[in-house]
Amino acid sequence: AEVLSICAMLQIGASIFYRPKERAMHADNARNNFNRPGGDHFTLLNVWNQWAETQYSTQWCFENFIQVRSMRKARDIREQVEALCERVELEVTSDPQATDGVAKAVTAGYFYHTAQLQKTLDYRTVKHPQTVHVHPSSTLHGSQPRWVVYHELVFTTKEFMRQIIEIK
């Protein structure tokens, strides 16, 4: 069930958090409160779980600088994927403590999106070798895990990995 939630959150892209200029510090604090060790996937899961605990509250989204439309879209996607799993008789189980299992599932699905830390403290992608960097919005920005799996590459001033999970 955790991987279903993460997949749904990944599909809505980077439009989960918003940061109004006049309340930027509050928005940054709210975002940082969601951070979880291990990478952005666990942060997304934390956002999902907290929203679900509030019965999908619009007010909660407003208070936490979360885009409610994006969250509703994630809920729709998650429900569709869950229905597909039921249709093919794939049992959906949940174990909130199984972070290693979540990391293995993400790695298995995105193994082509693996990058290794280099001596220069940049990362090198494995499949098509190129230099990439941790996106500043990532919970892993500033830390340097040896191996990571990323969801997407975004080019701005340089090539950044977005939505990263650490591989141990």
Side-chain angles (χ1 to χ4, degrees), residues 98-161:
T99 56
D100 285 349
V102 169
K104 285 178 184 176
V106 171
T107 303
Y110 287 94
F111 65 94
Y112 282 131
H113 291 191
T114 305
Q116 182 181 24
L117 184 65
Q118 303 297 298
K119 289 183 176 83
T120 60
L121 301 182
D122 295 324
Y123 283 87
R124 192 99 179 129
T125 58
V126 175
K127 175 71 175 157
H128 300 289
Q130 67 185 70
T131 300
V132 293
H133 308 274
V134 175
H135 195 275
S137 68
S138 173
T139 60
L140 293 178
H141 189 260
S143 65
Q144 285 133 3
R146 278 186 32 159
W147 289 93
V148 296
V149 172
Y150 58 91
H151 178 66
E152 64 182 349
L153 291 177
V154 178
F155 185 79
T156 54
T157 53
K158 48 190 172 182
E159 199 84 41
F160 288 107
M161 300 177 287

Side-chain angles (χ1 to χ4, degrees), residues 4-167:
L4 287 179
S5 302
I6 290 169
C7 289
M9 294 291 281
L10 288 171
Q11 290 309 305
I12 57 176
S15 61
I16 295 165
F17 299 98
Y18 68 93
R19 189 175 186 260
K21 284 189 173 110
E22 67 279 359
R23 300 190 63 204
M25 193 172 76
H26 295 290
D28 292 344
N29 287 337
R31 181 182 182 134
N32 290 337
N33 288 335
F34 289 110
N35 288 354
R36 290 294 172 265
D40 301 320
H41 295 71
F42 297 114
T43 298
L44 293 175
L45 180 61
N46 187 32
V47 171
W48 172 266
N49 288 340
Q50 287 192 38
W51 185 54
E53 285 172 16
T54 68
Q55 277 67 54
Y56 311 107
S57 165
T58 300
Q59 182 62 32
W60 179 89
C61 288
F62 177 75
E63 292 167 359
N64 289 283
F65 301 92
I66 304 282
Q67 302 269 10
V68 69
R69 289 179 68 189
S70 296
M71 294 302 291
R72 287 181 183 144
K73 185 175 178 187
R75 182 177 58 194
D76 291 345
I77 292 168
R78 190 187 186 288
E79 288 171 356
Q80 289 174 31
V81 175
E82 192 170 20
L84 288 170
C85 288
E86 287 173 14
R87 199 161 79 197
V88 296
E89 299 176 8
L90 186 64
E91 184 183 3
V92 176
T93 59
S94 179
D95 182 359
Q97 306 309 315
T99 56
D100 285 349
V102 169
K104 285 178 184 176
V106 171
T107 303
Y110 287 94
F111 65 94
Y112 282 131
H113 291 191
T114 305
Q116 182 181 24
L117 184 65
Q118 303 297 298
K119 289 183 176 83
T120 60
L121 301 182
D122 295 324
Y123 283 87
R124 192 99 179 129
T125 58
V126 175
K127 175 71 175 157
H128 300 289
Q130 67 185 70
T131 300
V132 293
H133 308 274
V134 175
H135 195 275
S137 68
S138 173
T139 60
L140 293 178
H141 189 260
S143 65
Q144 285 133 3
R146 278 186 32 159
W147 289 93
V148 296
V149 172
Y150 58 91
H151 178 66
E152 64 182 349
L153 291 177
V154 178
F155 185 79
T156 54
T157 53
K158 48 190 172 182
E159 199 84 41
F160 288 107
M161 300 177 287
R162 199 166 4 187
Q163 307 301 6
I164 307 165
I165 194 167
E166 180 178 1
I167 305 174

